[in-house]
């Protein structure tokens, strides 16, 4: 059985490859979010402020964005496997160093390096899926990958809240080092190169400038990139705020906080899998029409119900709806972004991911500027992000102009 790139892959090996790529894609979100439940402990340990601790999250997303911009185009030029192995090895070393950081500044700087190393997993995983699949198979495969990419940012704090209960917060970074080391072993055992040498020098797509030009002059790519960044921004407003909001304002224990994330994880899981089927039937652009509307409705409910005094009872259901809409959006954004760019899949995936992480990194300190006494600041930023995503769909992507994917 041949792939989109012309490389022979058996069905069994493609399934194994997707599983390994899913684990790779999950490394980045776990690196960013695993220690969210430890924010109060980090704050106490370094005797610092909420905003300063949240900057360590922004540092990681900065490194993640830079790493994607480097690794993605590099993988289009020299192949997928080498950049993947090098970057993941950097992640292992950085994770060990973060675990021993003596102060918050050192920790923040090392988190940039750690984020850089984690970036390869997500961007190269998306590029390799594009190498292997096309048409409706691409949508289905990306929905499986989006299941991991979408659920990991929400599932990671659940795992983190359990780990914080049994170890010091520094132990979380030893766990991340072990995760990355396991991924390296799996890469060596199971991942084959998916981008053959003759496709790395395709006419009109062989130089970095040509690849960037092909992607950045694509109106649909620009539009869905804005949508992707907006939905990630809204999700990070929730992710970066919820630990302090639920534990310090509403008095949740780490385990109870983890349960809320678990419920939202189910929302993302269901959304990604519904997206794969719905996008193949109706088209990913029309699924985005539904999902972006749901983002606006969910965020508006967060603000309205909180102002009305419903407390946690009025907070969790809209968050689950937002998580579902996030999951529904992810595979559709990735499909529309990559479908027209088989010759520069790494570059397209890197730009998509870097923009997502840049906006997400900017959102965290913005939320941190507000005194976290209720859910309104978080909800307002989520609402703004939902409106931006909706506007980009109808004004830039323009669903009626998007060709059908066969």
């Amino acid at each position: 059985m041949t792939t989109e790139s012309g490389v022979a892959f058996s069905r069994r090996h493609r399934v194994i490859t997707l599983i390994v790529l899913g684990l790779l894609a999950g490394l980045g979100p776990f690196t960013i979010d695993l220690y969210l439940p430890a924010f109060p402990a980090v704050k106490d340990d370094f005797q610092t402020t909420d905003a300063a601790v949240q900057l360590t999250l922004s540092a990681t997303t900065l490194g993640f964005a830079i790493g994607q911009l480097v690794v993605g185009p590099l993988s289009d030029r020299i192949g997928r496997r080498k950049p993947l192995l090098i970057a993941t090895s950097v992640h292992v070393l950085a994770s060990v160093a973060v675990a021993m950081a003596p102060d918050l500044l050192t920790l923040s700087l090392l988190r940039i390096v750690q984020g850089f190393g984690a970036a390869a997993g997500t961007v190269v995983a998306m590029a390799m899926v594009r190498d292997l699949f096309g048409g409706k198979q691409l949508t289905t495969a990306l929905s499986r990958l989006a299941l991991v990419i979408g659920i990991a940012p929400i599932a990671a704090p659940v795992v983190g809240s359990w780990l914080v209960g049994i170890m010091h917060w520094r132990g979380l970074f030893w766990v991340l080092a072990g995760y990355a080391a396991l991924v390296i072993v799996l890469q060596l055992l199971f991942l084959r190169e998916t981008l053959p040498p003759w496709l790395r020098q395709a006419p009109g797509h062989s130089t970095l400038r040509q690849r960037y030009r092909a992607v950045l002059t694509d109106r649909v790519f620009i539009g869905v990139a804005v949508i992707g960044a907006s939905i990630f921004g809204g999700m990070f407003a929730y992710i970066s705020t919820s630990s302090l909001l639920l534990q310090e304002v509403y008095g949740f224990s780490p385990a109870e906080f983890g349960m809320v994330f678990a419920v939202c994880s189910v929302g993302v899981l269901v959304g990604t899998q519904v997206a794969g089927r719905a996008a193949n039937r109706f088209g990913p652009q029309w699924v985005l029409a539904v999902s972006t509307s749901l983002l606006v409705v969910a965020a508006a409910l967060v603000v309205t119900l909180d102002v009305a005094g419903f407390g946690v009872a009025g907070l969790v259901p809209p968050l689950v709806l937002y998580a579902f809409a996030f999951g529904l959006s992810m595979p559709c954004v990735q499909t529309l972004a990559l479908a027209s760019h088989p010759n520069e899949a790494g570059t397209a995936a890197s730009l998509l991911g870097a923009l997502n992480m840049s906006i997400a990194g900017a959102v965290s300190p913005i939320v941190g500027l507000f005194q976290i006494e209720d859910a309104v600041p978080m909800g307002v930023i989520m609402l703004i992000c939902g409106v931006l995503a909706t506007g980009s769909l109808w004004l830039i992507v323009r669903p009626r102009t998007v060709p059908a994917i066969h």
Side-chain angles (χ1 to χ4, degrees):
M1 182 182 297
T2 58
T3 68
E4 281 287 294
S5 59
V7 179
F9 269 74
S10 68
R11 186 178 301 276
R12 176 177 175 274
H13 195 83
R14 290 211 287 185
V15 170
I16 293 173
T17 299
L18 274 177
I19 293 172
V20 176
L21 291 179
L23 291 172
L24 274 165
L27 179 61
F30 264 81
T31 297
I32 294 169
D33 301 328
L34 185 70
Y35 86 130
L36 289 178
F39 270 18
V42 175
K43 175 184 169 183
D44 292 342
D45 229 15
F46 290 118
Q47 294 295 297
T48 188
T49 64
D50 292 340
V53 174
Q54 285 177 318
L55 280 174
T56 65
L57 181 62
S58 298
T60 319
T61 58
L62 173 63
F64 201 77
I66 294 171
Q68 290 188 90
L69 289 174
V70 172
V71 174
L74 187 63
S75 75
D76 282 335
R77 183 178 180 183
I78 68 172
R80 312 299 188 201
R81 291 186 80 239
K82 288 181 182 178
L84 196 55
L85 287 168
I86 293 170
T88 313
S89 299
V90 168
H91 181 279
V92 173
L93 297 175
S95 297
V96 172
V98 170
M100 299 185 288
D103 53 61
L104 196 63
L105 176 60
T106 304
L107 187 149
S108 298
L109 293 174
L110 289 170
R111 286 285 280 172
I112 295 175
V113 180
Q114 191 184 32
F116 183 96
T122 301
V123 68
V124 176
M126 288 176 61
M128 293 181 82
V129 167
R130 183 62 189 89
D131 295 339
L132 292 168
F133 302 97
K136 291 186 176 181
Q137 281 190 329
L138 175 63
T139 305
T140 302
L142 284 173
S143 73
R144 302 293 184 264
L145 193 63
L147 174 63
V148 179
I149 297 175
I151 205 171
I154 299 179
V158 178
V159 178
S161 65
W162 176 72
L163 291 174
V164 164
I166 61 174
M167 64 177 64
H168 191 272
W169 65 264
R170 293 180 184 274
L172 301 182
F173 296 103
W174 288 103
V175 171
L176 284 171
Y179 180 174
L182 172 63
V183 164
I184 289 173
V185 173
L186 293 175
Q187 289 176 52
L188 293 171
L189 291 176
F190 298 112
L191 282 193
R192 291 164 55 186
E193 181 58 63
T194 60
L195 186 67
W198 62 86
L199 285 182
R200 301 171 199 172
Q201 300 297 324
H205 302 272
S206 59
T207 68
L208 185 62
R209 180 179 179 182
Q210 289 172 333
R211 290 177 182 132
Y212 270 115
R213 183 177 180 180
V215 173
L216 294 176
T217 55
D218 179 0
R219 171 180 55 83
V220 173
F221 177 88
I222 296 297
V224 295
V226 173
I227 295 171
S230 299
I231 65 175
F232 258 87
M235 184 57 74
F236 263 75
Y238 159 56
I239 288 172
S240 64
T241 305
S242 57
S243 175
L244 298 171
L245 177 66
L246 292 174
Q247 292 185 80
E248 296 193 353
V249 176
Y250 290 115
F252 278 36
S253 68
E256 290 169 335
F257 165 68
M259 283 301 298
V260 173
F261 265 79
V263 173
C264 289
S265 297
V266 174
V268 175
L269 184 154
V270 173
T272 57
Q273 299 315 293
V274 169
R277 293 178 178 272
N280 282 335
R281 182 173 180 181
F282 302 108
Q285 68 273 31
W286 297 113
V287 177
L288 281 175
V290 174
S291 64
T292 53
S293 299
L294 289 177
L295 291 170
V296 173
V297 171
L301 284 173
V302 168
V303 176
T304 303
L305 295 178
D306 195 71
V307 170
F310 281 80
V312 174
L315 178 63
V316 175
L319 289 179
V320 175
L321 179 61
Y322 197 94
F324 170 78
F326 174 83
L328 196 60
S329 302
M330 284 280 294
C332 301
V333 166
Q334 293 166 357
T335 297
L336 291 173
L338 298 179
S340 300
H341 299 285
N343 293 309
E344 50 276 325
T347 302
S350 71
L351 286 170
L352 192 66
L355 186 58
N356 290 350
M357 289 299 102
S358 297
I359 297 302
V363 163
S364 298
I366 290 173
V367 178
L369 294 175
F370 296 92
Q371 189 70 28
I372 300 176
E373 297 176 343
D374 53 44
V376 172
M378 176 187 74
V380 168
I381 291 176
M382 291 167 66
L383 180 59
I384 291 171
C385 290
V387 170
L388 286 174
T390 304
S392 180
L393 175 69
W394 293 105
L395 298 177
I396 302 177
V397 176
R398 302 199 297 271
R400 290 182 180 85
T401 69
V402 177
I405 296 175
H406 299 289

